[in-house]
Amino acid sequence: MSFSERMKESLGSEGARVEVVPPESSVSPGGPATTLVRIHGGSRDAHIDAIVVRVIEARRSWTSAEGQSITDDAARSMDRRQLNPTWERRVVHQMNVSVDETVGANSQHEVPIEVPVPDTCGTTDPACVITVNAQADIKEQIDPTGTATLLVAQAG
């Protein structure tokens, strides 16, 4: 095995990949989101110990040229060309899902996961984006990660 092949292998460039498939319809704060995590095998077998699943809320705010923080509501009535958008991210839920499965080379393994969406989670709008992030714990590989947007809306 050449040096470049060993580097590729150690960095996981030919290893397993993770894809997150979100629910097709919106979910409500306080309810579950049934997601599907697909693990695509790389050039060799990979043993998945667990998957760490996170629900992440990213909320936009604005900063003036002077460094003053401005709410999204106030920014709507201002000339935004003079403002800088910033995104504050927070993990609203995290869970570990034990898998203990081997994904064969060039094959695929699917793990359905019911993720609770906490009551404290915001709803999706232009200033708030909710994502589901899944990170597979695979030995001898940099842990692959996949992310999908979750549509969160109030029930009604």
Side-chain angles (χ1 to χ4, degrees):
M1 182 182 294
S2 72
F3 176 75
S4 62
E5 288 171 333
R6 284 193 306 260
M7 284 300 292
K8 281 182 185 179
E9 187 174 311
S10 69
L11 293 173
S13 67
E14 296 178 357
R17 292 179 300 110
V18 172
E19 174 188 5
V20 179
V21 180
E24 291 183 12
S25 58
S26 66
V27 297
S28 300
T34 303
T35 61
L36 182 65
V37 177
R38 280 192 192 117
I39 300 158
H40 301 273
S43 60
R44 60 186 175 107
D45 292 355
H47 186 79
I48 306 149
D49 291 327
I51 299 173
V52 178
V53 180
R54 296 174 186 89
V55 177
I56 302 170
E57 177 185 271
R59 190 166 295 279
R60 182 182 61 200
S61 59
W62 299 88
T63 306
S64 69
E66 297 80 32
Q68 179 183 6
S69 183
I70 299 168
T71 65
D72 203 58
D73 291 333
R76 287 190 186 120
S77 63
M78 300 174 71
D79 179 6
R80 288 194 227 170
R81 291 178 293 180
Q82 306 300 320
L83 302 176
N84 295 313
T86 58
W87 288 89
E88 295 176 28
R89 289 172 178 78
R90 72 179 182 109
V91 176
V92 294
H93 182 74
Q94 179 172 317
M95 61 191 275
N96 290 333
V97 178
S98 179
V99 177
D100 196 26
E101 293 283 335
T102 298
V103 176
N106 302 312
S107 67
Q108 165 176 301
H109 182 71
E110 294 184 343
V111 182
I113 300 174
E114 192 167 286
V115 182
V117 179
D119 291 331
T120 58
C121 185
T123 56
T124 304
D125 63 31
C128 184
V129 178
I130 313 297
T131 56
V132 175
N133 173 279
Q135 182 176 23
D137 181 13
I138 300 176
K139 298 249 186 297
E140 299 177 11
Q141 179 182 330
I142 294 175
D143 293 343
T145 302
T147 302
T149 302
L150 188 63
L151 180 59
V152 179
Q154 291 295 336

